[in-house]
Structure formats: C-alpha cells, structure tokens
Amino acid sequence: MTFQNFIGGTWKPSASKKTFLKVNPANIDDVIGKFPQSSRADVREAAEAARDAYKHWRLVPAPKRGDILRKAGMILEARKDELAREMTREMGKIFAETKGDVQEGIDTAYYAATEGRRLFGHTVPSELPNKFAMSVRQPIGVAGCITPWNFPLAIPSWKIFPALLCGNAVVFKPAMETPKTAQLFVEVLIEAGVPDGVLNLVQGGDEAGKAVVDDPNVNLISFTGSSQTGAIVAQNCAKRHKRVSLEMGGKNAIVLMDDADLKLALDGVVWGAFGTTGQRCTATSRLLLHEKIHDKFLDMLLKRVEKLKLGYGNDEGIDVGPVINETQLKRVLNYIEIGKSEGAKCLIGGKRATGNGLGKGYFIEPTVFANVKPDHRIAQEEIFGPVLSVMKFKTFEEATQILNGVRYGLSSSLYTKNVNLAFQAMRDFETGITYINAPTIGAEAHLPFGGVKETGNGHREGGWQVYDFFSETKTIYVDFSGSLQRAQIDNYES
Ligand code: UN1
C-alpha cells in the first residue's frame, strides 16, 4: 500500500515520487507500507498552503477551533483500539501502552477544546486616568511540528492541538518510523473538520525536517528528538529568528531509600525501565539503591525481570516489545558492550533475543547492570533501550549528587516514606519533573512536560504553558481621555 502527503487539502505523492518502506519492528517481513520521501520542494508547497490557510484560520473564533478539536478527541476515542493496534504494529510497544498513547491524544484534545474558551490575556489598570490596558493572545503563523516515533500519536497531539487552537496553521513532519500513525492522525483531524491547508502532512526524513526548519513561511518550530539534532534545529532557528521549543534526551533516575516500600518500588522500577522497551525520554535508565537494601532489592528485581515476556505487542501476555529498528538494536547492543568493558556487571539480559520466533524482530533481552559507577558511559549517556544501570549510595545527599551529575534533566523519582526527604527531592533534583513514590514515567496531559539542562530550552509541552509557546502576546492600550497622556511623564512631574 502506498501512502501520500497531505498538502493544501489534497493527498499527493512527493514531487520526486521517491518513497520509503516501513516495516513492523517485531517482524520485518510485515510491511506497513510505502510513504513519500519528501524533499524541500514538498515542504515549500506545504508551508505555502499553510501560509494561505492561516489567513482565514486565525480569524475563526478560538472556541470554534476548540469545537473541531473536541470532535477530533471524540473520533480518537471511538477508534482507540483500532489506532492502538496499528501503532503497535508500526512501532512495537505493547497494545496496553499504545492505547495509553491514544488516550494521551484524547486527553490533549479535550483539554485543548476547553482552552478555546479560556486562552486569556491580562487586563490590568493603566497608570493614567481614562486609559484601558490589556494583553491578548494572538496566533503566530505557521508552526512546524517535528515529532518522534516513540509516542507517535500523543506527541503530535501535544504540539498540533495547541498550535491549531491558538490559530496557527501547521506543517507536520512525523518520524520516518511512524508514518502510518501520522497518516491516521491526520485523517482524524480532517474528519473532525480542520479546513484545507490548515494542517499539512509531509512524510520523510532529515531532508524534510531540515526544510521545515529553514522554510521562510514557517514561523516557529516545535521539536522532540535527540539533544544532538535539537542543537542543530536551535542553531538554524536562531539564524532565522524563529521561536523554537525543544524536548530532548533524558537520563532519568529512581532513588530508592532504605525505608521505601520495596514491593511498590519494584513495580515502579520495572515499569519505568522496561515499559516502551525503555524507549521513552522519561524512561528510568538509572536506579540508585541505598546500600542497606541494595542486595535485597536487586534480588527481587532480577526475579521479576526474568519473567518479562518479550514478543509482538498485539499478542496476549506480552510485557516488552522490540526496539524500533536495526540502528537502534546495534546502538543498544553496543552500549551493553561498553557497560561490560567499563567494569559494570551484567546481571541479566545483555543480548539480542532471537528464540521463540523473535528472530524476525529487533528484540533485546531486558538488561540490568550492577556495580555501575556514576561516571560510566552507561550511567551518563541516553541509551533509549531496555537497559537499567544500578548504582549504590550511602546517603540521600550522595544520591542527589549522582542523580544530578548528568547533562540531562527530564524526570526523576524518589521512593521513601520520609516526608522531609520527599520535599528535599522536590526542591533539589535538577529535573523538569519529579515523582514521589512513582516511577519516572507517567506525565499527564494537563500538566507541563519538559526538562532542564540539555533536555530542553525552557519551554514546556502540555498544561497551560504550551499555549504560551504557540501564541504571541499583544499588548493593547486604549486611551479614552481625549488628550495626549504621556506615560512615565505626566503622572510624575518632579
Ligand atoms: C516521551 O518519553 O517522549 O510521561 C514522552 C510519560 C508519557 C510521555 C512520554 N506520558 O512517560
């Protein structure tokens, strides 16, 4: 099956007619389809269509734009299972998780719909008599949304729903690993009533992504991906004075104190580290264990990890799916070798899984390293796979230092019953998100999502904050005094 781009309200192939193939990572014989390999010319056309459509869309009242997004939420809800099945087939995470991904899109749609009736500015007193002062939110223009494959519906929703609600038109460039989910997502929005040209889909890889960032008709960029690519995106946006929001890597840790509920923590660690096969930017990739419970907890952990069932996520009883592609397979296996060569101890997993019919997929056994030192590469670098690095500590202060001693700052977690330590963690863990007695994953649509340090550039997705990113503040003064009133001067004669 061959799929197309969606530009200016029309489905069409890329100008060059080039395509790429997408396969199921759990079974590479299962071909999902052929998708357009878009070039600069396709992006230019999409951005021009968006520019034209923006002229009308910006004038549609925000509550009306919200109504369309509510409808999109309803369609997503009705098609939840079907979309989740397709998503699992396309990118590998298990069905329960892809349903969660769709649900995150639904939540984001309903939140956006209600925001259409808020979208407030500020009205404040003027310092001068008979003068009115306020600020309002206005759309910015065309938003370029560049999204990753690990949350192929939720993350486009996080970006595109608020962008549209604020009155922007969109050029959407999804990851090459999840073109089908992107296609289905766009179909939902068309059905919900998004007018022609307001949402444009350009499939493809780096060339298309770069073209979106460079295109003069695109005014702002929202990007989720690696810190490396994010740096390039930011530099190119800076040259063109574009607003840019970056959500990038993570090296998230759970700290387990000696007073923690170990059973609760066990559930959290396994879910945080091996959910989505460790391919979340919020994944738990470091586990810091207090020396008093270190051996006991490791023992409990290994017994649980041993039982995790690898397989195709649309089958019953599967816990962990494949990694996304061959590049990622090699990268994760390489990190496992690095871990061993640096002196960490691989307690379980550590290799590709090919038995039980898994040979046609990119499966890696859930892997746990102990004796990891904070400066080991597997304790510092984002692996994005089912690999957990375990470290031992003596005091909370030491744990905090280790937790903060990486270049990323997305998510963190502390398991303890000590309320004082919990509040210290909330204050001192250098991450955009901190969980107490819950793992590092599990962000909700109506709260800000994002990180500090090399994880982000100060913006947030989700919650109210994302509406700030996708709108421009305009300040308005209305002087109804009938005479010239000079601010800062007429009120202060001396
Ligand atoms: C991501 O990892 O890229 O909190 C997004 C979570 C999800 C979103 C993750 N709700 O893990």
Side-chain angles (χ1 to χ4, degrees), residues 448-469:
F449 179 93
V452 300
K453 294 153 85 175
E454 289 183 34
T455 293
N457 66 337
H459 294 289
R460 290 291 182 270
E461 307 212 77
W464 161 251
Q465 275 76 356
V466 71
Y467 291 85
D468 241 349
F469 176 74

Side-chain angles (χ1 to χ4, degrees), residues 84 205 279 470:
Q279 301 175 112
F470 283 109

Side-chain angles (χ1 to χ4, degrees), residues 218-433:
V218 175
N219 307 88
L220 69 162
I221 296 291
S222 179
F223 167 85
T224 299
S226 71
S227 294
Q228 222 175 357
T229 310
I232 299 166
V233 169
Q235 283 164 24
N236 288 329
C237 285
K239 281 187 212 148
R240 294 164 184 84
H241 301 292
K242 289 188 190 185
R243 186 182 292 205
V244 58
S245 168
L246 304 169
E247 278 308 328
M248 301 172 289
K251 191 69 190 173
N252 318 291
I254 289 182
V255 175
L256 214 65
M257 295 307 297
D258 51 344
D259 69 338
D261 176 337
L262 295 189
K263 274 201 194 120
L264 177 74
L266 182 62
D267 289 341
V269 168
V270 172
W271 172 228
F274 303 114
T276 325
T277 322
Q279 301 175 112
R280 294 194 189 212
C281 43
T282 52
T284 305
S285 61
R286 297 181 293 155
L287 172 63
L288 278 51
L289 296 178
H290 191 279
E291 60 178 359
K292 281 195 194 145
I293 46 98
H294 179 273
D295 294 354
K296 181 175 178 197
F297 190 80
L298 260 188
D299 208 45
M300 291 164 69
L301 180 63
L302 295 183
K303 283 193 184 111
R304 180 72 76 82
V305 173
E306 207 172 62
K307 291 202 190 94
L308 291 175
K309 198 154 177 242
L310 280 174
Y312 179 37
N314 275 329
D315 291 343
E316 282 296 310
I318 299 300
D319 300 303
V320 182
V323 298
I324 190 71
N325 56 27
E326 197 177 340
T327 310
Q328 198 52 25
L329 180 92
K330 287 189 179 146
R331 190 184 138 87
V332 177
L333 292 174
N334 185 44
Y335 267 113
I336 290 171
E337 288 320 307
I338 292 170
K340 289 177 186 164
S341 70
E342 284 182 322
K345 203 163 161 209
C346 183
L347 298 179
I348 193 164
K351 55 183 188 303
R352 183 174 183 175
T354 49
N356 300 324
L358 300 182
K360 293 269 180 186
Y362 304 118
F363 292 94
I364 297 178
E365 290 180 1
T367 301
V368 177
F369 275 103
N371 290 351
V372 179
K373 300 284 166 271
D375 62 346
H376 283 171
R377 284 184 64 189
I378 58 166
Q380 288 287 329
E381 298 173 24
E382 185 175 47
I383 299 174
F384 227 64
V387 180
L388 179 66
S389 301
V390 182
M391 285 165 267
K392 198 193 274 191
F393 67 88
K394 287 189 171 68
T395 62
F396 177 76
E397 287 65 32
E398 186 191 352
T400 304
Q401 210 170 20
I402 297 171
L403 184 136
N404 290 340
V406 292
R407 60 197 184 100
Y408 299 110
L410 182 54
S411 184
S412 56
S413 148
L414 175 71
Y415 279 81
T416 186
K417 290 189 190 116
N418 182 331
V419 70
N420 294 354
L421 289 185
F423 273 86
Q424 278 186 53
M426 290 180 232
R427 186 190 59 196
D428 296 339
F429 286 4
E430 292 168 356
T431 54
I433 307 167

